Amino acid sequence: MGSEKKAQHWRYWFVLPLYPYQQRPTVREEIVKDALWTFEQPHGLLYAVVPIRMTIVKLAKGGLLVYCPIAPTAECVNLVRELENQHGKVKYIIHSTSSGLEHKIFVGPFSRYFPTAEVWSAPSQWSFPVNLPLTWLGFPPQRTKILPLDYTESPFADEFKYHILDIDLSQGSFVEVAFLHKSSKTLLVTDSVVKIPYYLPKIIELNPFPLLFHGRESALDNLENTPENRLKGWHRICLFALYFRPSMIDTTPLKQLIQEAFKAKDRSNRNYFGLYPFRWRNQWQKSFEAIKERLLVAPILETLILPQAPKDVINWANYIATWDFEQIIPAHFDAPFKANPLEFRQAFSFLEKKPLYPSGNEQIYQQDSQFIKELESQLIKLGIAKPPKIYNQ
């Protein structure tokens, strides 16, 4: 293993075996000079790879606050150490959600590299299939604390505001803690809102294979590495990541898949046993056009999670909309992106049955969300999910 690959190795990949498994490169970007940085790694399922992001903020009195840790590979830890050498030790590590295993799984391992840092966790933590205490999930017992509901009771209240959304889902809770870094006017969120960029994030370009895999039309296509194919692959990845099964794809019969797999010329890059089970319809680009460069709530949250407590969500969004921020950094997709409190609040207007999309795009968005709506119906029938509630002012 080369030195670079060794530095990017994540040895606990098997605990949550998602792409890119044990090989996780890290890209650090300075967002506000000498004050705020993002760290990104690739993360996904079935080559639908998007960025997963950690944000680090310099504290006014020295030291660093880490929001939403990622995999602490040697490369990642070294990049954090460089900041420590200039700005002081990591003092606080913020675990900002309760349901996202892809975030929770990194907190314990990350905190072990910074043994003097306090770990502050969102409330209502749970795990599946067995509900285990945080210490059993690797959180350091002597240093882990639960974020108080009132942010003024936290040790970093001088520089940060935060507000907690906590939704009871019967099988567990969905919790999101939004943080405001006052001096840089930056809103930090985990999963509540995203923005889908037209162009590829730098971290995704490091390994073009997932892009080229999704850029092909069938298993018979060679994986030709061109900017056009990479961009096409990225747009399709975004649709998969948001909708799981966009309306603009058809699945291929198994017999045809097997035939194509044996005929494929580029056998060295055949994955999923050489199968490529998707067929994109003509005009599939309309689906991407409907979501690109838009501040939005991911469809799975819009359909399955947030309607379980619409009044709580609206109150949470209204409170955050009183804050003074100019940019948002979420844990996935684009960041940072310019947005004001009104734009953030409008992202949740679907709970009030107000249209979010320009004329013509609403129908496309609803068609693409159909699979998630069907999933919701099945979960309700099985008693796993509850019917959505109606928002009453």
Side-chain angles (χ1 to χ4, degrees), residues 128-146:
F128 180 84
V130 179
N131 199 8
L132 301 172
L134 288 177
T135 52
W136 286 36
L137 298 174
F139 285 58
Q142 304 303 321
R143 296 186 283 132
T144 299
K145 305 174 183 181
I146 301 299

Side-chain angles (χ1 to χ4, degrees), residues 254-311:
L254 180 60
K255 182 177 179 181
Q256 183 178 343
L257 285 177
I258 294 173
Q259 290 174 343
E260 289 183 355
F262 280 102
K263 291 179 181 178
K265 297 178 181 179
D266 190 2
R267 295 177 178 270
S268 63
N269 281 316
R270 293 187 312 173
N271 281 266
Y272 305 126
F273 309 101
L275 305 181
Y276 183 77
F278 316 116
R279 290 295 182 276
W280 288 88
R281 300 175 187 170
N282 295 331
Q283 301 187 325
W284 66 267
Q285 295 90 341
K286 289 184 177 180
S287 288
F288 183 77
E289 291 292 322
I291 60 170
K292 72 172 185 179
E293 302 296 341
R294 299 189 61 80
L295 171 61
L296 54 86
V297 174
I300 191 157
L301 292 186
E302 178 180 332
T303 303
L304 289 176
I305 307 298
L306 302 189
Q308 296 297 318
K311 190 171 184 178

